[in-house]
Amino acid sequence: METKIVYFDETGDDGLNTKSSDTFILTSVYMPCGSWQDNYNIIRAFRCNLKKEYGFHTSQEMHTKHFLTDKNPYRSYQWSHEQKTEILKKFTLMIASLNLASINVIIDKTRITIKNYHILENALTYNVQRIENDSQGDWNFLLITDKGRIAPMRKTARAIRAFNPIHSQFGGYINKPIKNMIEDVLEKDSEESYFIQISDFISYFVHLYYLTRYKSKPLPNRVANIIDRDFISRVMVTLSVNGIFNEKASPEKYGLVIYPKK
């Protein structure tokens, strides 16, 4: 049986408090093991070209939110707004060229009415459920996540191997345990993983898309200095038409999985 590797990263915090963020987005990117090296080679060549064109060090992590809000270490490069826009365009086109898929789960914290709602655990469950559905039993998968949330993610992944309640079309729930996930969730520093950084890039643009299109809110000032709503839409469309989004994950545009349901 073929194995796929799944990388996770997130945007927003997983606490119930909405002051720091009113959404939490958990993004997965996954690919066949046989495609990993080719994907890596594409990313590595791309990063070498960025080094030649813009001085962007190949070992420097691409943290999209910090890049857009001009935080260190990106401020030290002294890129113009136009250069930063070009870098984002190039990143988008590079991701669109890879053989991988992405699922994006959005937890809208303003919709939560239950005091003990577990944001991270639910987001991971919904994401893994859709990866399992995509596999249709033809391949298994291994999960790798950024450092910092490994304990609750491992606990959740272990739990849904045994108990994974799904709404039944006849009412109530049926138990459909996750069968194709292998090993525990593994941990890797995002600084050392181009694929976690790609998950971060997609996750942040999904956040911006949801913020502006679903919530009808303005972009943060520092972000608006670099890009606008149309730029965000072009990123989303580019990833969509090149098959990056698993659009079977949800009836929502781009397959966005949004909870809690209204």
Side-chain angles (χ1 to χ4, degrees):
M1 180 181 285
E2 182 182 45
T3 299
K4 295 195 178 184
I5 308 175
V6 186
Y7 294 89
F8 284 98
D9 205 4
E10 74 288 327
T11 297
D13 73 75
D14 57 349
L16 289 170
N17 193 317
T18 59
K19 289 183 179 180
S20 59
S21 68
D22 59 11
T23 58
F24 177 78
I25 294 94
L26 184 66
T27 297
S28 62
V29 296
Y30 55 103
M31 71 205 77
C33 284
S35 298
W36 189 94
Q37 188 64 54
D38 287 342
N39 282 338
Y40 176 85
N41 290 344
I42 290 169
I43 301 168
R44 181 67 180 176
F46 166 73
R47 290 302 304 263
C48 288
N49 286 334
L50 283 187
K51 175 68 167 62
K52 291 177 183 177
E53 290 185 65
Y54 303 99
F56 196 167
H57 300 303
T58 54
S59 60
Q60 179 70 63
E61 178 179 5
M62 176 57 167
H63 191 296
T64 309
K65 179 180 179 180
H66 292 174
F67 177 89
L68 274 167
T69 53
D70 200 34
K71 293 187 177 179
N72 284 325
Y74 311 105
R75 184 179 299 173
S76 63
Y77 286 99
Q78 297 184 327
W79 292 310
S80 67
H81 289 178
E82 292 75 17
Q83 287 176 315
K84 296 186 84 168
T85 301
E86 286 302 312
I87 291 171
L88 292 171
K89 288 179 183 177
K90 290 176 186 291
F91 254 97
T92 303
L93 292 172
M94 179 274 292
I95 294 170
S97 74
L98 300 175
N99 179 22
L100 53 78
S102 177
I103 293 173
N104 296 273
V105 174
I106 301 169
I107 305 295
D108 188 332
K109 295 195 280 186
T110 65
R111 297 184 184 181
I112 295 173
T113 58
I114 303 171
K115 289 184 178 180
N116 62 344
Y117 190 94
H118 299 294
I119 292 173
L120 174 61
E121 291 84 346
N122 283 326
L124 179 62
T125 298
Y126 300 143
N127 209 305
V128 170
Q129 285 172 345
R130 283 153 179 82
I131 296 170
E132 176 96 353
N133 290 344
D134 193 26
S135 77
Q136 297 183 330
D138 294 332
W139 42 267
N140 52 31
F141 52 93
L142 177 70
L143 309 183
I144 301 174
T145 186
D146 191 13
K147 299 178 75 171
R149 294 182 169 93
I150 191 66
M153 291 182 77
R154 278 183 177 163
K155 183 178 179 181
T156 299
R158 290 174 182 175
I160 59 179
R161 278 199 176 101
F163 183 65
N164 180 38
I166 303 290
H167 279 287
S168 170
Q169 59 182 333
F170 303 109
Y173 294 86
I174 58 172
N175 185 26
K176 193 176 179 182
I178 300 299
K179 296 180 178 179
N180 292 324
M181 179 173 56
I182 58 174
E183 253 290 0
D184 274 331
V185 182
L186 304 179
E187 184 179 55
K188 186 162 187 177
D189 195 320
S190 60
E191 291 184 1
E192 300 175 355
S193 174
Y194 286 145
F195 295 107
I196 292 177
Q197 292 171 42
I198 285 172
S199 184
D200 168 81
F201 184 98
I202 295 173
S203 188
Y204 193 65
F205 271 94
V206 167
H207 159 71
L208 295 176
Y209 179 81
Y210 187 75
L211 177 75
T212 57
R213 301 292 177 173
Y214 281 77
K215 308 286 281 186
S216 299
K217 290 186 176 181
L219 289 170
N221 290 335
R222 286 191 174 185
V223 174
N225 287 335
I226 309 296
I227 59 174
D228 56 17
R229 283 167 45 117
D230 289 340
F231 186 95
I232 295 163
S233 292
R234 288 194 296 272
V235 170
M236 299 293 285
V237 168
T238 300
L239 297 179
S240 174
V241 299
N242 286 279
I244 299 301
F245 292 126
N246 177 349
E247 299 192 356
K248 295 180 181 178
S250 162
E252 295 286 342
K253 194 169 184 179
Y254 306 125
L256 301 180
V257 180
I258 305 171
Y259 280 94
K261 299 295 186 183
K262 286 185 177 180

